Amino acid sequence: MSKEQNKALVLKAHNMLFSDKDIKALELYFSPDFIEHSPLVADGIPGLKELVASCPDMNYKVSRVLGDDSGLVALHGRFVGLDENPLVGFDIYRVENGKIVEHWDGLVAEAEKNISGRTQLDGPTAVDSNADSEANRQLVKKFFTETLIGGDYSGFERYSDGTTFYQHSPDIGDGVQPVINFLEQLKADGTALHYDKIHRTVADGQFVLTHSEGSIAGARHAYFELWRVENGKIIELWDSIPAVPSDEDAVHNYGIF
């Protein structure tokens, strides 16, 4: 199946399951050997059935659908009814031979607009089919390795135009210098964002989603960060950074990553 077919399949299955609460989606679109990595779901198909049954008011609205030739499809959107407050973030699915075989997610509480008036979900949504997905993936991975894993925050200057950086994180406003200042202050406070490893990426047009592992103040976290590239420069960021349990403490045996 093409990436566009995979995107359509995942979106249909996801909406059918989490908005329509129709568990027939599990039979139609999910592999019997489906692997669940979400810390919110106990185990595979039975866990999803239990989740749907326990959240009768659940609904989902998608903002972005991304996919690449690896079979990965990422949804960026908003859940209500899954928790006391709305949750926003990312779901990553892996499709193989027309069935969903694996899933990861990173959801955080919806926040107020940031100082620049941006939400966690607004901004450009349409994929630019003329953009070079693979070139953008390699650019973001290089930036990420040097800047976030390596801790050299000047990468935000070197991989941008030095000024333009549209920020959707609730804690930071627009601009290159504000994000550098924010990260440096966290480091000075002893609560730096530590990045250990990129586990997977989804690159589609001008968008590149990185799914990585690290810690904040010693607590394990999953980093879901969506970067937008324009003319070879990184200019926009959306993120979801939930705390996650150790694999030993997870509600299933597949690991969080």
Side-chain angles (χ1 to χ4, degrees), residues 14 18 58-61 77-82 85-88 91 107:
H14 189 91
F18 296 117
M58 179 169 48
N59 207 330
Y60 180 79
K61 184 176 181 180
R78 179 178 186 266
F79 281 96
V80 295
L82 186 57
N85 297 308
L87 299 175
V88 298
D91 290 89
L107 302 173

Side-chain angles (χ1 to χ4, degrees), residues 7-8 10-11 62-67 73-76 125 127 204:
K7 288 160 67 172
V10 164
L11 184 59
V62 70
S63 293
R64 292 169 187 83
V65 185
L66 311 174
V73 174
L75 305 183
H76 186 201
T125 59
V127 173
D204 197 355

Side-chain angles (χ1 to χ4, degrees), residues 35-209:
I35 297 173
E36 178 63 81
H37 296 275
S38 171
L40 304 174
V41 182
D43 188 21
I45 298 295
L48 287 174
K49 287 181 180 178
E50 181 181 347
L51 178 68
V52 171
S54 64
C55 299
D57 298 322
M58 179 169 48
N59 207 330
Y60 180 79
K61 184 176 181 180
V62 70
S63 293
R64 292 169 187 83
V65 185
L66 311 174
D68 64 25
D69 294 333
S70 68
L72 294 178
V73 174
L75 305 183
H76 186 201
R78 179 178 186 266
F79 281 96
V80 295
L82 186 57
D83 197 21
E84 182 178 352
N85 297 308
L87 299 175
V88 298
F90 298 90
D91 290 89
I92 301 177
Y93 291 90
R94 184 168 67 85
V95 180
E96 190 175 274
N97 299 322
K99 295 288 186 178
I100 295 170
V101 297
E102 204 162 4
H103 172 256
W104 302 260
D105 65 18
L107 302 173
V108 295
E110 185 176 43
E112 297 295 325
K113 292 180 180 180
N114 67 18
I115 193 172
S116 295
R118 302 188 190 281
T119 73
Q120 292 152 291
L121 293 170
D122 65 0
T125 59
V127 173
D128 180 1
S129 60
N130 294 316
D132 189 331
S133 302
E134 287 308 316
N136 289 337
R137 189 203 310 272
Q138 294 309 314
L139 174 77
V140 168
K141 287 175 70 174
K142 191 170 187 292
F143 155 81
F144 195 102
T145 300
E146 295 176 10
T147 309
L148 298 177
I149 295 177
D152 179 5
Y153 299 145
S154 69
F156 281 96
E157 295 176 317
R158 292 182 284 108
Y159 286 89
S160 71
D161 66 6
T163 303
T164 307
F165 195 73
Y166 304 116
Q167 178 65 257
H168 295 267
S169 172
D171 302 317
I172 319 172
D174 286 354
V176 170
Q177 198 57 50
V179 71
I180 294 174
N181 292 345
F182 179 80
L183 293 171
E184 291 288 6
Q185 187 61 55
L186 290 181
K187 187 184 293 185
D189 294 341
T191 56
L193 307 187
H194 290 286
Y195 292 78
D196 298 324
K197 178 182 180 181
I198 299 174
H199 283 275
R200 55 196 52 83
T201 61
V202 182
D204 197 355
Q206 77 277 37
F207 294 110
V208 180
L209 175 65

